[in-house]
């Protein structure tokens, strides 16, 4: 609980000073549960984005908390065209060497997207990529790959009249030769 409180405080520190810039702020928080070998591991991801006056520049903050781990990093973003955004940032993680670097690339529009994240630091490297295409207003399908978890299909259900979605993925982890699953609930603002 203390880690979750720290994540919320760090999110406020990143976003609140930039609210007066007349740009647009977007925010999502996602509770994600990983299922494998009869165990479940919940974690919370949060992403904050602030655009500055539609001048292609912005700021992002990414935060993650789970039982024995937490990380946070912030940095600038660049959006040279409306369908492309990239960012790179630095921060800290719960590790012997706490420095963490992270980056992301997002490509898409209101109906389809690709998000790729890469991180490296004291805890080692990590990557996550997901793609989704809206088939209807309430249903989308795609794929997801995540380091140490696996790769597989992804299905998404948008909850009508709410800024929320639920998604699931069935994954194959080739390094452990096993099958696992992800279940997530995301709120967007």
């Amino acid at each position: 609980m203390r880690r979750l409180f720290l994540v919320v405080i760090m999110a406020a520190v990143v976003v609140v000073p930039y609210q007066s810039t007349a740009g647009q702020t977007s925010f999502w928080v996602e509770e994600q549960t990983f299922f494998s070998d009869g165990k479940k591991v919940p974690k919370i991801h949060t992403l904050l984005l602030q655009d500055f006056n539609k001048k292609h520049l912005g700021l992002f903050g990414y935060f993650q908390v789970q039982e024995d781990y937490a990380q946070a990093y912030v940095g600038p973003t660049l959006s040279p065209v409306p369908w492309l955004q990239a960012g790179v940032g630095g921060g800290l993680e719960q590790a012997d060497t706490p420095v963490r670097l992270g980056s992301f690339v997002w490509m898409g529009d209101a109906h389809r997207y690709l998000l790729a994240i890469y991180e490296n630091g004291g805890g080692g490297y990590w990557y996550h990529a997901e793609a989704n295409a809206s088939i209807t207003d309430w249903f989308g399908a795609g794929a997801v790959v995540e380091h140490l978890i696996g790769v597989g299909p992804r299905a998404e259900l948008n909850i009508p009249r709410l800024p929320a979605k639920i998604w699931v993925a069935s994954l194959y982890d080739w390094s452990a030769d096993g099958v696992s699953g992800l279940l997530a609930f995301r709120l967007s603002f």
Side-chain angles (χ1 to χ4, degrees):
M1 189 61 158
R2 193 175 101 206
R3 284 190 202 122
L4 180 58
F5 178 73
L6 289 173
V7 166
V8 171
I9 294 299
M10 291 183 340
V13 168
V14 170
V15 171
V16 171
Y18 298 101
Q19 288 292 322
S20 63
T21 62
Q24 179 179 337
T25 301
S26 57
F27 167 81
W28 62 252
V29 61
E30 178 174 275
E31 192 284 329
Q32 194 180 92
T33 303
F34 170 65
F35 297 91
S36 181
D37 295 328
K39 294 180 266 180
K40 63 180 181 174
V41 179
K43 53 186 166 179
I44 296 174
H45 298 268
T46 302
L47 178 66
L48 300 146
L49 293 165
Q50 172 69 42
D51 294 326
F52 299 123
N53 298 321
K54 301 196 185 251
K55 300 217 187 244
H56 310 293
L57 297 176
L59 182 71
F60 82 99
Y62 177 75
F63 313 94
Q64 178 193 354
V65 177
Q66 63 187 63
E67 186 174 342
D68 295 322
Y69 180 77
Q71 68 168 331
Y73 54 89
V74 298
T77 64
L78 176 64
S79 296
V81 292
W83 52 267
L84 175 65
Q85 184 175 42
V88 62
L92 299 172
E93 68 174 320
Q94 189 175 343
D96 291 337
T97 306
V99 175
R100 189 93 181 143
L101 301 174
S103 60
F104 78 91
V105 173
W106 176 89
M107 296 182 289
D109 58 29
H111 305 289
R112 65 198 139 269
Y113 71 86
L114 170 66
L115 171 66
I117 302 168
Y118 178 79
E119 301 175 1
N120 209 337
Y125 72 93
W126 178 84
Y127 58 84
H128 172 96
E130 63 184 60
N132 189 69
S134 297
I135 296 169
T136 69
D137 288 344
W138 55 272
F139 180 74
V144 64
V145 60
E146 186 169 319
H147 181 58
L148 300 176
I149 291 181
V151 60
R154 177 186 191 276
E156 176 177 289
L157 177 65
N158 294 311
I159 300 172
R161 295 184 293 282
L162 291 176
K165 62 179 72 177
I166 296 171
W167 65 267
V168 297
S170 176
L171 306 171
Y172 176 72
D173 181 359
W174 55 87
S175 64
D177 193 27
V179 177
S180 60
L182 281 174
L183 172 64
F185 177 74
R186 182 181 295 177
L187 285 171
S188 301
F189 305 96

